[in-house]
Amino acid sequence: MATLTNDLRVWLDKSRERITAVTLEPRLDQIGRVAQVGDGVATVTGLPGTRLDELLIFDGGVRGLAVDLDERIIGCVLLDSDAGIAAGSPVHGTGEVARTPIGAELLGRVVDPLGMPLDGGAAVVTENYSPVEQPAPAIVDRALVTHPLATGLLVVDAMIPLGRGQRELIIGDRGTGKTAIAVDTMINQRSSDVICIYAGVGQKASSIAQVIDAVRHYGAPERCCFVIGEADAPPGLQWLTPYSACTIAEHFMAQGRDTLLVIDDLTKHAAAYRQVSLLLRRPPGREAYPGDIFYIHSRLLERAAKLGPERGGGSLTALPIAETQAGNISAYIPTNLISITDGQIYLDPRLFYEDQKPAVDVGKSISRVGGKTQAPVLQALSESLRLEYAQFLELEVFTRFGTMVDERTRKIIEHGRRIRAVLRQPQFAPLALGEQVALLFAVSKGVLDDLPLDRVDDYRAALHEWLAERCSEALALDDQAAAMAPELEERLVAVLIALARSLGSQPMSAQA
Ligand SMILES: Nc1ncnc2c1ncn2[C@@H]1O[C@H](COP(=O)(O)OP(=O)(O)OP(=O)(O)O)[C@@H](O)[C@H]1O
Ligand SMILES: [Mg+2]
């Protein structure tokens, strides 16, 4: 009994000490009220101190972003489901703008725009957080784009080369292989040191799963991060996704790394933004988009840059994707994006249905920056290729109608068909620079002209192994290599001819 009283006394003394140690201070907490809620937006009253883009917390921990500041009313985009919020329920300001975790911990992960894991893994714990909206690097901090970003797709690397720090739009109708080009580019970075960030905006969960699977299977997932605002996520979250992904990429760029940001896609991003804007009763403009629709995309894509050496020399290459309706590239959002970016890769549904994949329309595609960065050895070969190909496409139209053609024209057409066949490429099989050079070399030297057209795919498939055994120097070419030595050229031609012979004369031994 005595010990119990003693224990009680000790406990009382300790508690008293603890209570006196607590300093009681008045705290000012601003609590607002929900005026209206629904369809992913809410209006809030009673929070006069709110900042633009401030994160607000609703009942049940639902997050929202203050995007319209009025004298009395705040327009708010919700970042979680609005179920459970009712008019009159309390809202707390956080005093902070929307932020995302940044750092190497994000590599290999799938997260939402605020860094919540979507891959079933542990919470992402990083040292630093950064606001999702950032100013673009200043002009003085930028440098010229000088290094190529290899996509591994021959048609792009040869005809529409990309540079690190460039913005290139991938544009085309539904299901023409836009995502496939971006994914192949990400996969090809397994043989470089580029960090890839994929922003999935408004995509079906199944499409996103396919992208992630492909990169995990064929690429270097430990250098990739997926930031996802899928189709059934609240529109506010979809809208935030590309900004957040850009912030994550910028962190690596600031460390001097080369990064690639794929935004799939900005048409759906614009639609999500239009949805929240209309619900917030902003005045609609052309095609019902709000007046600042150009600005939301330009301020995002301006953040792509090649930094100067005094800023670490990192780069952020942006590959935004845009969807067109029936090939109409002069619609509102596509024209906006074409004018913001440094060029576009245009995918033609007609080519896609003719099984010419990747369905890149070389005539309508352009890269305004990357040409100067192209590997010199590739540049020398691709110059003539473009011309020959354009000439062939013109001539081919005539022969469609069964016109008789002379021998010279027939040869040009046969040669052109070989070029087209060489530009075809399956998914998930990026070509190394050496293979690309060898293929273009084979075309330009006419090695393929006597090969049956349907064997060109086998030729491409067998090339790597064939070269590895017989001319490994050609495979070892890198993007600094100037023209090939004449001796190597000679040997390469001989090896390429031998491969063509083996495929032409003994078709069954193609893979041997
Ligand atoms: N080079 C290729 N070789 C073979 N198949 C391809 C190639 N590129 C794309 N495909 C196939 O074409 C289909 C459409 O590709 P993808 O999903 O990339 O198109 P998309 O334009 O992104 O479509 P969406 O508009 O639905 O986003 C896919 O089934 C894909 O596997
Ligand atoms: Mg797609």
Side-chain angles (χ1 to χ4, degrees):
M1 189 65 193
T3 50
L4 192 63
T5 333
N6 249 353
D7 283 354
L8 209 57
R9 193 164 298 133
V10 172
W11 181 82
L12 269 176
D13 286 346
K14 269 196 187 153
S15 302
R16 209 167 283 138
E17 255 173 51
R18 232 181 273 158
I19 289 170
T20 44
V22 174
T23 47
L24 293 178
E25 277 178 6
R27 198 181 84 196
L28 187 65
D29 215 5
Q30 289 202 350
I31 301 177
R33 299 269 163 213
V34 176
Q36 275 182 348
V37 61
D39 297 322
V41 300
T43 46
V44 173
T45 56
L47 285 175
T50 307
R51 293 196 284 163
L52 194 64
D53 282 347
E54 182 174 332
L55 206 59
L56 305 179
I57 304 292
F58 290 74
D59 243 6
V62 173
R63 301 158 300 176
L65 211 57
V67 289
D68 273 351
L69 299 186
D70 214 333
E71 209 172 332
R72 258 175 10 88
I73 285 188
I74 295 167
C76 190
V77 175
L78 297 179
L79 304 179
D80 296 299
S81 158
D82 56 17
I85 307 176
S89 62
V91 187
H92 297 262
T94 60
E96 282 175 4
V97 294
R99 296 183 311 163
T100 176
I102 49 171
E105 294 84 350
L106 280 159
L107 295 179
R109 299 298 304 267
V110 185
V111 292
D112 87 350
L114 297 175
M116 296 291 164
L118 297 177
D119 51 4
V124 181
V125 184
T126 61
E127 259 176 39
N128 296 313
Y129 284 74
S130 184
V132 296
E133 291 274 8
Q134 298 273 359
I139 294 172
V140 287
D141 293 330
R142 294 177 185 244
L144 286 179
V145 172
T146 48
H147 276 74
L149 181 96
T151 63
L153 298 167
L154 182 63
V155 59
V156 178
D157 287 345
M159 307 274 221
I160 320 146
L162 308 184
R164 294 187 183 184
Q166 179 177 354
R167 301 158 296 178
E168 182 84 4
L169 182 67
I170 301 174
I171 185 167
D173 278 6
R174 276 200 65 190
T176 47
K178 303 183 295 296
T179 305
I181 290 202
V183 168
D184 276 338
T185 308
M186 286 174 76
I187 288 172
N188 192 42
Q189 305 316 316
R190 66 187 176 199
S191 48
S192 77
D193 61 348
V194 175
I195 290 176
C196 305
I197 315 289
Y198 175 87
V201 187
Q203 300 289 317
K204 286 177 295 195
S206 60
S207 321
I208 288 173
Q210 278 174 8
V211 169
I212 296 174
D213 277 353
V215 173
R216 285 197 176 145
H217 193 254
Y218 299 99
E222 68 284 359
R223 261 189 289 114
C224 295
C225 172
F226 302 88
V227 186
I228 306 298
E230 59 192 29
D232 67 351
L237 209 61
Q238 295 181 34
W239 167 59
L240 219 53
T241 304
Y243 300 100
S244 175
C246 193
T247 297
I248 293 171
E250 270 168 349
H251 167 73
F252 296 109
M253 169 169 74
Q255 291 180 335
R257 299 291 301 263
D258 290 313
T259 56
L260 168 70
L261 172 66
V262 172
I263 308 168
D264 193 6
D265 63 57
L266 281 182
T267 321
K268 299 211 171 61
H269 181 246
Y273 186 62
R274 172 171 63 183
Q275 185 180 339
V276 294
S277 299
L278 290 176
L279 288 166
L280 286 169
R281 300 186 181 282
R282 289 179 180 169
R286 188 173 153 191
E287 288 181 23
Y289 289 106
D292 60 345
I293 190 76
F294 186 91
Y295 177 56
I296 70 157
H297 287 155
S298 62
R299 76 167 185 251
L300 169 69
L301 293 172
E302 272 300 290
R303 288 162 71 179
K306 163 79 185 162
L307 295 180
E310 62 284 348
R311 290 284 307 271
S315 71
L316 198 168
T317 313
L319 283 185
I321 295 177
E323 186 182 306
T324 51
Q325 308 284 334
N328 181 13
I329 47 175
S330 53
Y332 188 29
I333 300 298
T335 40
N336 277 357
L337 291 172
I338 287 172
S339 66
I340 294 168
T341 47
D342 306 307
Q344 71 275 349
I345 296 174
Y346 177 71
L347 299 175
D348 189 345
R350 191 179 51 83
L351 290 176
F352 192 83
Y353 297 132
E354 286 170 5
D355 215 23
Q356 174 68 24
K357 299 172 189 168
V360 178
D361 183 328
V362 178
K364 285 186 185 159
S365 303
I366 186 167
S367 167
R368 297 193 189 90
V369 177
K372 294 183 200 82
T373 70
Q374 199 176 25
V377 54
L378 200 59
Q379 205 165 18
L381 287 164
S382 58
E383 259 167 25
S384 58
L385 188 77
R386 230 191 144 98
L387 265 179
E388 284 169 10
Y389 193 50
Q391 195 184 10
F392 152 69
L393 290 178
E394 253 177 39
L395 282 176
E396 200 196 23
V397 177
F398 287 110
T399 54
R400 283 239 171 102
F401 305 110
T403 326
M404 295 288 286
V405 292
D406 58 277
E407 184 58 20
R408 196 175 140 265
T409 316
R410 197 191 60 78
K411 269 200 171 146
I412 295 178
I413 289 176
E414 282 304 315
H415 185 65
R417 289 198 173 131
R418 300 305 183 284
I419 299 180
R420 184 158 63 193
V422 155
L423 296 181
R424 205 176 290 145
Q425 196 170 329
Q427 268 182 295
F428 316 131
L431 294 169
L433 180 67
E435 287 171 89
Q436 296 185 342
V437 169
L439 270 179
L440 293 188
F441 212 60
V443 176
S444 69
K445 295 284 174 199
V447 174
L448 300 185
D449 288 359
D450 297 325
L451 189 72
L453 250 188
D454 55 357
R455 304 307 313 262
V456 176
D457 285 346
D458 299 333
Y459 193 90
R460 183 189 316 100
L463 187 67
H464 187 90
E465 214 174 299
W466 191 270
L467 286 180
E469 275 173 24
R470 295 169 177 81
C471 188
S472 54
E473 300 97 303
L475 276 185
L477 285 174
D478 69 9
D479 53 28
Q480 301 305 321
M484 276 184 283
E487 181 269 334
L488 176 60
E489 247 182 50
E490 228 169 77
R491 206 144 51 83
L492 184 58
V493 173
V495 169
L496 291 171
I497 290 176
L499 177 58
R501 291 240 169 89
S502 82
L503 287 173
S505 51
Q506 308 152 16
M508 295 319 291
S509 69
Q511 304 299 328

